[in-house]
Amino acid sequence: MAEKKNVSRRDFLKTSGIAAGALVGGGIIGGVIGANTRQDTASTSGGEAGHSGGGGTTEAVRGLQFFKNQQEFAVLQQATERIFPEDDLGPGAIGLGVPFFIDHQLAGSYGENSKEYMQAPFEEGEATQGYQSRLKRNELFRQGLQKMQQEAQSRFEANFVDLEGEQMDEILTAFQDDEVDMQGANAQFFFRLLRQATLNGAYADPIYGGNQNMEAWRMKGFPGHQAAYINDIESEDFAEIEPHSVGDMLS
Amino acid sequence: MATTLDKVDVVTVGVGWTGGIIAAECAKEGLKVMGLERGKERSTEDYSMVHDEYRYAIRYELMQDLSKETITFRNSRNQKALPMRQLGSFLLGEGLGGAGTHWNGQTWRFLPYDFEIKSMTDAKYGANKLSAEYTLQDWGITYDELEPYFDKFEKTAGISGEDKNPFWGKRSSEYPTPAMKKTPLLSKFETATSNLGYTPFMMPSANLSEAYENPDGQQIGACQYCGFCERFGCEYGAKTSPEITVVPAARETGNYDIRFNSNVVEVMKEGDRVTGVRFIDTVTFEEFIQPAEVVVLTSYVMNNAKLLMVSEIGQMYDPETGQGSLGKNYAYQILPGASGFFEDQMNVFMGAGALGMTIDDFNGDAFDHSDLDFIHGGSISMTQTGARPIATNPLPPDTPAWGAEFKKASIENYTRTLSVGSQGASIPHRDNYLTLDGTYKDIYGMPLLQLTYNFTDQDRALHKYITERTSEIMQEMGAKTVVGRSPISDYDIVPYQTTHNTGGTIMGGDPATSVVNNYLQHWDMENLFVVGAGNFAHNGGYNPTGTVGALAYRCAEGIIKYSKDGGSLV
Ligand SMILES: Cc1cc2nc3c(=O)[nH]c(=O)nc-3n(C[C@H](O)[C@H](O)[C@H](O)COP(=O)(O)OP(=O)(O)OC[C@H]3O[C@@H](n4cnc5c(N)ncnc54)[C@H](O)[C@@H]3O)c2cc1C
Ligand code: SF4
């Protein structure tokens, strides 16, 4: 692991006054409102399906809604897996369906920035002023993934997806450290977006197509949608609760 | 051509807590009230599938649509202000109930000290405790004068709490409902702070400990500790919000109407009176004029200030000369605190928005500031609000922010980390203010509000001092690793901090230095009222809404008086 190159998380929130031992708050990426209307519903049956990269055995058919080019999607898969890798605790981004989650989100209001102020003029500004690009998120993702591929070619003369893990990490770290030139946006912002989207896909309710079989919740000990904890809230014991999806309410 | 509607007695701009309270009180007195709300109708039935962190907390389902309107921001006067293109630092409300739909429910009364902060600081520490850059002033009202209105708001909301804090103001009655359940996690905080010689007590909460009927006859449910409270609506009707209390109370009188999808763009005026408001239907883009005897701005800090500015009512604040009051004394909050990493797993995912314990030993002037280079302080609390898995990835020092180590550490520590945090007071500064932007516009063609804001030396000193206290508490709680929050440098509008924006339309005793009097009546236009946290002359060490609610009841009383007698109320 090229962990030494990871800029410490303090840099993420350096100026905010809330950078702490714990990375807090969900607002790093900002966001838009409204459900993506084209959602896959992952199977919510338990079991080990989806643990490794393959399509798993219990899901409904899935496909791409935003990406048209399988190469780009493959870069996305590998990049998100490096951010949230499979290990002895359980599946990584690919096994959880994160790349499909991101694809679907990019096709909808998230990717289109439809609830965000996108009026000109666009000027670069200070880091404390936040996102100032005229690029929509889906345009930024496409460019970022293409740049990752280009970096792989120029650094290692290989496709991104054929690199060793450490080599992929080197490229991701270069984005994180803002050492790659992008047009109309900066690499560091793209990296933060990619990292946050990966976590969104891993831990969001499975109705969005990630967090398959609620495996990420199980790893973390989060029970998802539970109607109430009033009977357990005073208990001293840690409660191990089988998770539920909000999707269960409709069936 | 704008269509002119039938005249009403009172029009409010926006229907959150302030708009709802004004409507209920005035409608009960027989005044015809119209609420214009830019967002949509919504109710408890809309929240049955609300346990969805992604949709509600990350993608801000219930909050303002920034594609229509936002603010611009810069840290200092010599920077160019740029639009806040995505929500982040604070989350603006929209739709019935405003931010009162998705708030946490932590409901405080500001301290007696807060209302007379300037006089009390000068008396105790001398006039030069803070440099002249800090535009500190009294509020033109005392805690004792405001107490009955605090009491009224708490009874309407059914607040759950206990009167055990030696540092807060005298209460005329007990809390309407008992405090919430004291969980094992809160007990850890209670024991530690007691050991250190402080006085912990249960946080006053609008997540009710038991079912309650308020004086208006509205029913509020009992909190189920579901853990999806902040940024979510309550499916049990157990988190007091405007749409389950004051809004139905107003509607039941038959004197109240709300018109949704109605975005107010201007306050109309004639001489020294206002005549009504101009608004745009957000669906058809048709323009209307709503004439009214009394206009009340209840559209939150940002839009209240903006409407006065675009309507050219009052004198704009000039940071160069210090003259003028409109836009002056914008303040925010600072968040000192510490995280602690523990051995055992804890039920951090259970909780409620206002489930917490607090000490006030470092709030207000409870401790001696003679040898400190700041004034005021902050309430220090541990809350158990329901840790959400996307947002909660606690990492011990020197853990990378992604990759294999990140995954392991964030999963391991999700159920093993607690935080003690403070809401640090924010003292106004000459260079922190609101004005209109010269470049960027909203979709209705009006200029955006511009925010110029940065943390001050006072903020940095307060942050450092309180962070040390919270670290000591965390140590005493038995954490194996304690990490205090990093010192603050420049204010950054990107990460969420709090939606506790204050100032810009401040209240006071002198028309030269404030926008409204202590009935929240505009100094220049006697039939115009402006109410909200924008009235705060500085920001205290608590959440704002208890004080906002009290001011709204005070304002309603003023409007009713004015409707009978006219004239200036002070
Ligand atoms: C996530 C979150 C958590 C919070 N937690 C707490 C807490 O625990 N304790 C606490 O004390 N406070 C808390 N707050 C703050 C609290 O929500 C606010 O103080 C309170 O709701 C303010 O009420 P208001 O009536 O002034 O404004 P709002 O609730 O913002 O209502 C204003 C209304 O006006 C409407 N409006 C705005 N502009 C226009 C226009 N031009 N035309 C027509 N309508 C317009 C808006 O759509 C909105 O509905 C929290 C806020 C947030 C966002
Ligand atoms: S925690 Fe309580 S008040 Fe908050 S949403 Fe859940 S049930 Fe309602």
Side-chain angles (χ1 to χ4, degrees), chain B residues 63-292:
Chain B
M63 288 119 193
Q64 180 171 324
D65 176 355
L66 294 191
S67 72
K68 298 196 169 116
E69 176 174 7
T70 184
I71 60 152
T72 65
F73 161 69
R74 58 184 179 173
N75 282 117
S76 69
R77 269 193 275 161
N78 53 27
Q79 262 175 24
K80 179 159 176 40
L82 294 176
M84 175 177 81
R85 295 186 180 275
Q86 311 180 338
L87 284 170
S89 177
F90 42 84
L91 301 173
L92 301 166
E94 182 162 290
L96 183 61
T101 295
H102 51 73
W103 69 319
N104 268 320
Q106 305 173 3
T107 312
W108 298 94
R109 302 174 170 199
F110 272 21
L111 297 164
Y113 163 79
D114 280 310
F115 299 98
E116 298 171 272
I117 189 167
K118 170 79 173 148
S119 329
M120 287 169 85
T121 303
D122 289 358
K124 187 157 168 195
Y125 303 107
N128 301 321
K129 176 70 183 165
L130 291 181
S131 78
E133 312 256 281
Y134 294 92
T135 50
L136 197 64
Q137 60 189 66
D138 292 348
W139 291 33
I141 198 164
T142 64
Y143 172 82
D144 289 339
E145 287 171 300
L146 208 52
E147 204 284 336
Y149 308 95
F150 277 121
D151 190 61
K152 186 150 188 186
F153 179 66
E154 289 172 0
K155 290 199 163 99
T156 299
I159 301 304
S160 301
E162 56 183 17
D163 190 7
K164 287 192 180 161
N165 179 8
F167 302 106
W168 63 25
K170 248 184 131 51
R171 305 175 49 85
S172 59
S173 60
E174 257 302 323
Y175 280 102
T177 52
M180 300 188 82
K181 292 179 190 293
K182 197 179 288 168
T183 68
L185 302 189
L186 298 186
S187 297
K188 259 193 219 295
F189 176 84
E190 182 181 34
T191 309
T193 49
S194 304
N195 289 348
L196 291 168
Y198 309 140
T199 319
F201 58 94
M202 289 295 288
M203 178 180 277
S205 167
N207 318 135
L208 298 201
S209 59
E210 62 187 31
Y212 173 76
E213 181 179 315
N214 80 7
D216 293 328
Q218 306 302 324
Q219 309 287 333
I220 309 169
C223 175
Q224 302 300 306
Y225 302 85
C226 77
F228 284 84
C229 207
E230 187 214 26
R231 306 190 182 192
F232 308 90
C234 179
E235 72 269 42
Y236 298 101
K239 171 166 67 177
T240 314
S241 62
E243 67 268 37
I244 63 167
T245 53
V246 288
V247 168
R251 280 174 161 163
E252 281 165 19
T253 63
N255 292 326
Y256 183 46
D257 273 318
I258 305 177
R259 197 184 149 120
F260 294 99
N261 305 315
S262 301
N263 192 90
V264 176
V265 290
E266 188 188 353
V267 181
M268 320 284 292
K269 59 180 193 213
E270 230 176 74
D272 59 359
R273 292 175 60 82
V274 294
T275 57
V277 296
R278 184 163 67 89
F279 69 93
I280 293 172
D281 184 308
T282 62
V283 178
T284 62
F285 264 62
E286 267 177 287
E287 219 177 280
F288 295 92
I289 288 169
Q290 175 65 65

Side-chain angles (χ1 to χ4, degrees), chain A residues 1 3 6-10 12-36 82-92 101 105 109-110 113-133 137 169 172-173 176 189 191 195-196 199-200 203-205 207-208 217 219-230 232-241 246 249-250, chain B residues 48-55 57-70 73-75 79-88 181-184 223-228 231 235-236 335 339 341 345-347 349-351 355 384 387-408 410-411 414-415 417 419 439-443 448 455 463 483-497:
Chain A
M1 275 300 300
E3 100 222 12
N6 287 348
V7 170
S8 90
R9 70 202 174 285
R10 275 170 200 272
F12 269 69
L13 302 177
K14 196 161 49 189
T15 55
S16 69
I18 62 167
L23 190 57
V24 290
I28 299 169
I29 297 305
V32 289
I33 306 176
N36 187 322
R82 293 311 297 171
I83 291 170
F84 198 84
E86 179 174 343
D87 60 9
D88 53 347
L89 295 170
F101 165 92
Q105 290 300 307
S109 62
Y110 169 85
N113 295 36
S114 54
K115 294 250 173 153
E116 315 210 322
Y117 189 81
M118 296 299 280
Q119 290 186 40
F122 290 92
E123 289 188 34
E124 200 158 329
E126 302 294 322
T128 57
Q129 294 176 299
Y131 189 52
Q132 295 297 336
S133 175
R137 288 194 187 88
D169 290 352
L172 286 166
T173 304
Q176 182 181 20
F189 183 80
F191 179 80
R195 174 189 178 274
Q196 186 61 44
L199 294 179
N200 292 349
Y203 290 119
D205 195 285
I207 58 172
Y208 297 97
W217 284 351
M219 283 187 263
K220 217 167 182 175
F222 176 73
H225 160 68
Q226 301 290 328
Y229 294 115
I230 189 165
D232 305 313
I233 187 92
E234 289 167 298
S235 162
E236 297 276 351
D237 302 325
F238 182 67
E240 293 194 32
I241 303 172
V246 283
M249 299 178 77
L250 287 174
Chain B
S48 66
M49 285 184 288
V50 84
H51 291 183
D52 180 345
E53 180 186 10
Y54 185 60
R55 176 166 169 169
I58 305 288
R59 303 277 302 282
Y60 311 127
E61 173 80 16
L62 301 174
M63 288 119 193
Q64 180 171 324
D65 176 355
L66 294 191
S67 72
K68 298 196 169 116
E69 176 174 7
T70 184
F73 161 69
R74 58 184 179 173
N75 282 117
Q79 262 175 24
K80 179 159 176 40
L82 294 176
M84 175 177 81
R85 295 186 180 275
Q86 311 180 338
L87 284 170
K181 292 179 190 293
K182 197 179 288 168
T183 68
C223 175
Q224 302 300 306
Y225 302 85
C226 77
F228 284 84
R231 306 190 182 192
E235 72 269 42
Y236 298 101
L335 305 176
S339 297
F341 298 87
Q345 285 193 289
M346 296 170 283
N347 294 325
F349 45 83
M350 303 177 185
L355 178 61
Q384 187 178 349
R388 305 187 293 256
I390 299 174
T392 314
N393 293 288
L395 301 174
D398 304 319
T399 318
W402 54 278
E405 262 191 82
F406 161 80
K407 183 185 172 191
K408 266 207 163 53
S410 60
I411 287 175
Y414 167 67
T415 50
T417 306
S419 292
T439 306
Y440 293 94
K441 295 199 161 38
D442 65 24
I443 56 159
L448 296 186
F455 294 131
H463 187 279
V483 185
R485 291 190 186 159
S486 323
I488 48 172
S489 50
D490 292 327
Y491 170 67
D492 181 349
I493 202 155
V494 179
Y496 184 73
Q497 288 150 73

